[in-house]
Amino acid sequence: DMFAKNLEVRPIRYAVNFEDVTVDYVIGDELRLDQVVINFLSNAVKFTSEGEIIVTFRQMMLHEDTVDLMISVRDTGIGMDPAYVQRIFRPFDQEHSDTVKKYGGTGLGMAITDQIVKLMGGDIVIHTAPGKGTEFSVFLQLPLAKENDLLEIEKQEELPEETENTVSVFHG
């Protein structure tokens, strides 16, 4: 919804796919995961004038107490020189000096995203080519929510708003 108005006025196909997702609930920082996806989407929208932007959530491997997830944002935008990918997570670094003038931004979004993913024990993989687009993929292993975790969330939701939630469980 955040990007809908920008996408409506351009010839861009936008889709969100869930592939092989069998897990209903995991434990993680929903706010930070949202921020990662929003940062990737923001760049995809900024650097794609036509074509497509596809967001994919894929369950890679199910373990006894955890699940390996991949979240990717792929676009058919301007792409990047593969040599720049080595610097993309540096604060204030942008591929070209005219990027700020033409597209805006500070060069901080990717640095913040990288730190969030690292703090969650994950990795980011980037595939890109000039003129062909970019795909950012995040690989995370998250704990599965157990029944008592869900009961704890239900109890917390019944408490007054001043109480801080200590566990976030979100639906996949």
Side-chain angles (χ1 to χ4, degrees):
D1 290 343
M2 185 182 296
F3 301 102
K5 287 186 181 182
N6 268 334
L7 294 172
E8 285 174 0
V9 297
R10 293 189 269 163
I12 296 175
R13 182 176 89 81
Y14 174 73
V16 177
N17 301 320
F18 292 87
E19 298 178 359
D20 303 320
V21 178
T22 62
V23 171
D24 288 327
Y25 297 96
V26 296
I27 298 173
D29 190 329
E30 185 176 4
L31 180 66
R32 298 297 179 261
L33 280 173
D34 283 348
Q35 189 174 1
V36 167
V37 174
I38 287 168
N39 283 346
F40 289 152
L41 268 171
S42 175
N43 281 346
V45 170
K46 187 186 309 183
F47 296 112
T48 305
S49 59
E50 63 183 12
E52 64 183 19
I53 298 172
I54 308 295
V55 180
T56 302
F57 296 87
R58 180 179 299 139
Q59 182 176 312
M60 304 296 288
M61 187 78 130
L62 182 60
H63 308 279
E64 188 175 323
D65 295 328
T66 61
V67 63
D68 295 340
L69 298 175
M70 182 210 61
I71 303 167
S72 77
V73 176
R74 180 177 52 83
D75 66 60
T76 57
I78 64 172
M80 296 177 279
D81 184 321
Y84 173 66
V85 172
Q86 298 171 5
R87 300 187 340 255
I88 194 168
F89 298 120
R90 293 183 189 163
F92 305 109
D93 202 335
Q94 296 192 336
E95 185 174 14
H96 303 289
S97 58
D98 65 341
T99 299
V100 173
K101 291 178 201 162
K102 189 171 181 180
Y103 298 102
T106 61
L108 280 175
M110 294 310 296
I112 292 168
T113 299
D114 183 51
Q115 289 302 308
I116 291 170
V117 171
K118 282 181 180 174
L119 287 169
M120 288 191 282
D123 293 304
I124 300 175
V125 175
I126 304 168
H127 293 100
T128 188
K132 300 212 186 263
T134 302
E135 180 174 13
F136 288 95
S137 298
V138 174
F139 295 89
L140 295 169
Q141 187 174 75
L142 296 173
L144 296 171
K146 294 182 175 40
E147 190 173 329
N148 61 339
D149 296 323
L150 299 174
L151 293 172
E152 180 67 26
I153 293 298
E154 287 175 12
K155 286 181 193 174
Q156 289 179 9
E157 288 175 352
E158 294 171 5
L159 295 175
E161 286 186 30
E162 308 88 50
T163 305
E164 277 190 40
N165 290 341
T166 57
V167 177
S168 292
V169 178
F170 51 108
H171 189 264

